[in-house]
Amino acid sequence: MWTDRTIPCQAGNRQAGNIMSQNIAFDLGDLFEQHFFSNLDYFFARSMAKAFDENESIVLVSCALVSKLLFEGHICIDIKAMSGTVVSISETSDDLIKFPDFNSWINALQNSLMVSDNIQTPLVLDSDHRLYFSKYFDFQNRLTKNITQRFFLKPHKMDENTIDEMLESYFMPQNKHVIHQKHAVKHAIENHFTIISGGPGTGKTYVTTIIKKIFLTYAKKQGLLVPKIISVAPTGKAASKMDQGSTIHSILKPLKNSPGFYYNKNNTLHTDVMIIDEASMIDIILLTRLLEAVPLTAKVIVLGDIYQLSSIQAGSVFSDICSAKGLSANLFFLDYNFRSKGKTGIEKLSKAINHNDVQSIDDILTSGLYPDVVFESLNSKSRIDYSVKKFILNGYKRFVLADTVEQALNVLDDFKILCAHNLGEFGTLQVNHLCEKILRAEVNFDISDKFKKIIMVNTNDYKKGLFNGDTGIVFERKEGANTFFKTLDDSIKQYRVSDLPGSDPAFAITIHKSQGSEFNTVLMILPDKISPVVTRQLLYTGITRAKTKVIIVGNIDIIKKAINLSVKRNSGLAMCLESVLKKKF
């Protein structure tokens, strides 16, 4: 019989709550029947069992568990941390599963033909007792090798006086906040690998602009060839904020009917400088393939926000790189918001969330002292309709009243509704339906003979140049409907609705989908119950999407609970980086 205790769950701690909870056997079939494993997890493990003639329960469950955790964003199982722990079967069940003790678990894996310490087997157990799919173990090692190679390259010899003169001209007056930017730029100019982390308004865009100017000006003054500089981001929205920015996929050029790219480690890009923005959104596979396609002779500058949500796909690569102690000399934190100068409610609230400062969060949300932060208490589901209608009629007013496609596209960033989930009363599906219903009634479609919807592409279509996350509009008329998207060069592309790749309504989008974007005003709708998705990183990311005003509709107790939940993804990247760097020193 299980005793009443606090048990570690994947998203945090949860009280068992029922002394009579059932102990579910550590068996693949039993766990599948209890819905702990998905069909994909279960049948993958079964296939591996058949291929390797494996019947050891611990090994089969481990195989399915790697698959399960990968779907949740982890690239490995930390056997040492998980062994002997007890977790709930699901969020809604009090039934428990206890993982094997460390020695039993490790012995079972080491005796299995499907497990080894290299990528010749489906599962890899590393020296620190982390269990991976061989594919992700391989990408982790390749990324480690690429980054450490760049780290140990000697800086190019440059005229120090010329560099310093240019830096002085760009960074005046000399104060402690500007100095951080100046040091980051100088390091990026002189070294092969630089990491810069900072939130909105801290000057990451300004820093990259100065880096480009100094590279070009220096080449001109020294009579050198003009350097080829490429700026990339993971989404079209993020790339549009960069000077001559492109998406990673468009630069690498995906191959037809193949998961690879035209540019790769055997056919590298022609570039002298690679600037990578919004790196927190990039998963381990894409970042590895991008860096391998960049010649080692090129300088690489990686920018992101360590406090933001990690990529939707597996890994928390930017966070892992920033936490690798051996890379600290190459890491620069920009923490001063030049836009708000520390005075706005948005900045104060985002910092309070990062610092887990419950009292400050309560004061900011309830005092009414900050006009850029509005808190609407949501104590019942019935108020969601009222709250949405109250804010969207004004928020989407300019979009609704736009007479032309160009006018409508130009105001897409005026206002956006952000949700934690897709499903449920507080999810994007329900809120989008509600928005369209309200706005159609307001516009009076029958009289105006036109109605505009916001949509977001959810799949990549390389032929059309549309990518996951691209936002456009559907312009409806009685005679038909067409869709319109603004490209990176500010031209407008038009498509028939039937020719679009997959897309979703986007009056409301998830906070995950909002990464890389900023909106003048954000309406953030939070669920009435805590969930593994509602975390400190999610709150921070949602709030910092707002440039001038954030409206939070939710329960303040849920917010206070959420800041104690922090996303921690299992990965060995930081330790691998540190291990290699120690060996070389």
Side-chain angles (χ1 to χ4, degrees):
M1 183 182 296
W2 298 101
T3 56
D4 189 21
R5 53 170 291 196
T6 301
I7 53 177
C9 294
Q10 286 133 3
N13 292 336
R14 180 184 170 196
Q15 193 71 22
N18 184 355
I19 293 179
M20 300 303 293
S21 295
Q22 179 183 356
N23 174 17
I24 305 300
F26 199 73
D27 175 81
L28 180 64
D30 288 350
L31 292 172
F32 176 58
E33 288 180 4
Q34 293 293 325
H35 307 294
F36 183 72
F37 290 131
S38 68
N39 288 343
L40 177 64
D41 306 330
Y42 174 72
F43 287 107
F44 171 73
R46 285 285 302 273
S47 298
M48 290 297 100
K50 185 176 180 180
F52 287 86
D53 193 24
E54 178 64 68
N55 55 23
E56 168 59 55
S57 177
I58 291 178
V59 177
L60 298 184
V61 174
S62 297
C63 191
L65 190 59
V66 174
S67 174
K68 175 182 172 67
L69 293 185
L70 182 65
F71 181 77
E72 295 171 2
H74 307 275
I75 67 169
C76 63
I77 304 173
D78 188 339
I79 303 289
K80 190 179 294 183
M82 189 171 282
S83 59
T85 62
V86 180
V87 300
S88 297
I89 287 291
S90 71
E91 288 294 310
T92 58
S93 172
D94 286 325
D95 290 337
L96 308 173
I97 171 177
K98 183 175 182 179
F99 291 104
D101 65 88
F102 177 74
N103 289 332
S104 298
W105 202 342
I106 292 298
N107 287 338
L109 293 173
Q110 289 178 336
N111 289 324
S112 174
L113 293 177
M114 71 168 72
V115 183
S116 71
D117 61 357
N118 60 70
I119 60 172
Q120 301 306 312
T121 52
L123 299 178
V124 176
L125 183 65
D126 73 5
S127 58
D128 292 304
H129 309 108
R130 290 183 293 261
L131 187 68
Y132 302 78
F133 280 141
S134 59
K135 173 181 177 179
Y136 284 87
F137 182 76
D138 181 43
F139 274 104
Q140 179 175 279
N141 285 344
R142 284 160 57 183
L143 183 57
T144 297
K145 179 181 178 181
N146 191 283
I147 291 174
T148 52
Q149 280 180 316
R150 296 179 190 280
F151 177 85
F152 286 111
L153 287 173
K154 292 182 179 180
H156 287 305
K157 288 186 177 180
M158 303 178 76
D159 187 326
E160 196 83 12
N161 291 331
T162 301
I163 297 295
D164 287 341
E165 285 176 8
M166 286 190 282
L167 287 169
E168 292 297 322
S169 67
Y170 286 120
F171 292 101
M172 293 291 291
Q174 297 288 348
N175 62 57
K176 63 179 181 180
H177 306 302
V178 171
I179 287 296
H180 288 313
Q181 293 183 333
K182 181 180 177 182
H183 289 164
V185 171
K186 184 169 184 178
H187 189 278
I189 294 295
E190 296 179 343
N191 295 273
H192 284 84
F193 190 72
T194 303
I195 316 149
I196 301 173
S197 176
T202 56
K204 296 196 301 294
T205 302
Y206 176 73
V207 161
T208 57
T209 300
I210 301 306
I211 288 171
K212 282 186 174 184
K213 287 182 177 179
I214 290 180
F215 272 126
L216 296 174
T217 304
Y218 182 86
K220 186 176 180 180
K221 286 186 174 183
Q222 299 295 318
L224 304 173
L225 291 174
V226 176
K228 175 72 180 296
I229 302 173
I230 297 178
S231 300
V232 297
T235 66
K237 190 74 174 181
S240 68
K241 296 190 297 182
M242 306 178 78
D243 178 32
Q244 297 180 320
S246 302
T247 63
I248 296 173
H249 285 80
S250 65
I251 285 295
L252 294 181
K253 300 187 183 304
L255 298 172
K256 293 181 181 179
N257 305 316
S258 171
F261 295 96
Y262 175 76
Y263 290 106
N264 52 58
K265 61 184 177 182
N266 298 316
N267 180 36
T268 57
L269 292 156
H270 302 291
T271 183
D272 300 296
V273 181
M274 174 62 74
I275 300 174
I276 307 167
D277 200 8
E278 294 293 349
S280 62
M281 298 172 64
I282 308 174
D283 63 273
I284 191 168
I285 292 178
L286 185 58
L287 186 60
T288 302
R289 285 179 166 156
L290 173 60
L291 290 184
E292 285 183 342
V294 178
L296 288 176
T297 54
K299 297 177 187 294
V300 173
I301 300 102
V302 184
L303 304 105
D305 185 348
I306 195 172
Y307 295 114
Q308 264 193 208
L309 286 164
S310 298
S311 62
I312 294 176
Q313 289 79 25
S316 51
V317 187
F318 184 72
S319 177
D320 289 343
I321 293 171
C322 290
S323 63
K325 296 175 183 177
L327 292 175
S328 58
N330 296 54
L331 173 62
F332 298 86
F333 283 104
L334 306 179
D335 56 5
Y336 181 74
N337 192 318
F338 290 87
R339 187 188 300 162
S340 65
K341 295 179 172 56
K343 298 177 181 179
T344 66
I346 291 174
E347 185 182 357
K348 290 180 182 295
L349 181 59
S350 63
K351 286 189 174 181
I353 287 170
N354 285 335
H355 297 146
N356 200 8
D357 187 345
V358 176
Q359 187 58 55
S360 292
I361 291 170
D362 200 306
D363 293 342
I364 294 166
L365 293 180
T366 60
S367 67
L369 295 176
Y370 299 96
D372 61 324
V373 176
V374 175
F375 178 68
E376 176 103 348
S377 182
L378 185 65
N379 296 317
S380 66
K381 292 181 181 179
S382 62
R383 285 185 59 84
I384 188 71
D385 293 29
Y386 168 79
S387 296
V388 170
K389 185 174 183 178
K390 177 180 177 180
F391 295 111
I392 70 165
L393 291 178
N394 183 59
Y396 281 126
K397 184 177 181 180
R398 291 179 68 199
F399 174 77
V400 168
L401 297 179
D403 291 321
T404 66
V405 169
E406 186 174 14
Q407 288 176 355
L409 287 170
N410 285 340
V411 297
L412 278 182
D413 291 344
D414 275 10
F415 179 79
K416 184 63 71 176
I417 303 173
L418 303 182
C419 304
H421 305 96
N422 281 316
L423 304 178
E425 290 289 328
F426 305 90
T428 59
L429 295 178
Q430 176 64 20
V431 174
N432 271 306
H433 174 74
L434 184 60
C435 285
E436 187 167 337
K437 178 182 175 182
I438 293 169
L439 293 175
R440 279 188 184 276
E442 181 71 13
V443 171
N444 196 345
F445 182 49
D446 290 335
I447 297 175
S448 66
D449 195 37
K450 63 184 178 182
F451 184 74
K452 297 177 290 296
K453 291 192 294 186
I454 306 174
I455 60 170
M456 178 177 281
V457 174
N458 59 26
T459 55
N460 294 329
D461 188 325
Y462 301 109
K463 288 183 179 179
K464 291 184 175 65
L466 292 175
F467 300 95
N468 187 7
D470 285 353
T471 303
I473 64 171
V474 178
F475 210 103
E476 292 185 2
R477 296 184 184 277
K478 289 187 176 180
E479 62 270 18
N482 284 308
T483 63
F484 301 87
F485 293 82
K486 183 175 282 191
T487 64
L488 293 178
D489 61 1
D490 282 337
S491 61
I492 296 174
K493 286 186 176 181
Q494 177 178 342
Y495 305 93
R496 293 181 300 180
V497 173
S498 59
D499 290 338
L500 270 188
S503 63
D504 299 307
F507 289 114
I509 61 175
T510 62
I511 295 172
H512 270 92
K513 285 281 190 180
S514 73
Q515 287 181 269
S517 300
E518 285 186 297
F519 309 95
N520 290 335
T521 299
V522 161
L523 169 60
M524 189 165 73
I525 300 174
L526 299 175
D528 63 343
K529 294 179 181 178
I530 199 68
S531 80
V533 171
V534 185
T535 62
R536 182 189 307 157
Q537 289 92 338
L538 184 105
L539 294 177
Y540 170 82
T541 302
I543 288 164
T544 55
R545 297 312 91 201
K547 293 173 71 174
T548 59
K549 188 174 187 178
V550 61
I551 305 160
I552 303 171
V553 175
N555 185 313
I556 197 163
D557 290 331
I558 298 297
I559 294 172
K560 291 176 181 178
K561 290 178 182 178
I563 64 172
N564 287 307
L565 293 179
S566 181
V567 177
K568 175 60 178 158
R569 290 182 168 180
N570 294 337
S571 164
L573 179 59
M575 290 186 67
C576 284
L577 286 166
E578 290 176 13
S579 176
V580 174
L581 292 170
K582 283 180 181 178
K583 287 179 182 177
K584 295 271 185 148
F585 276 120

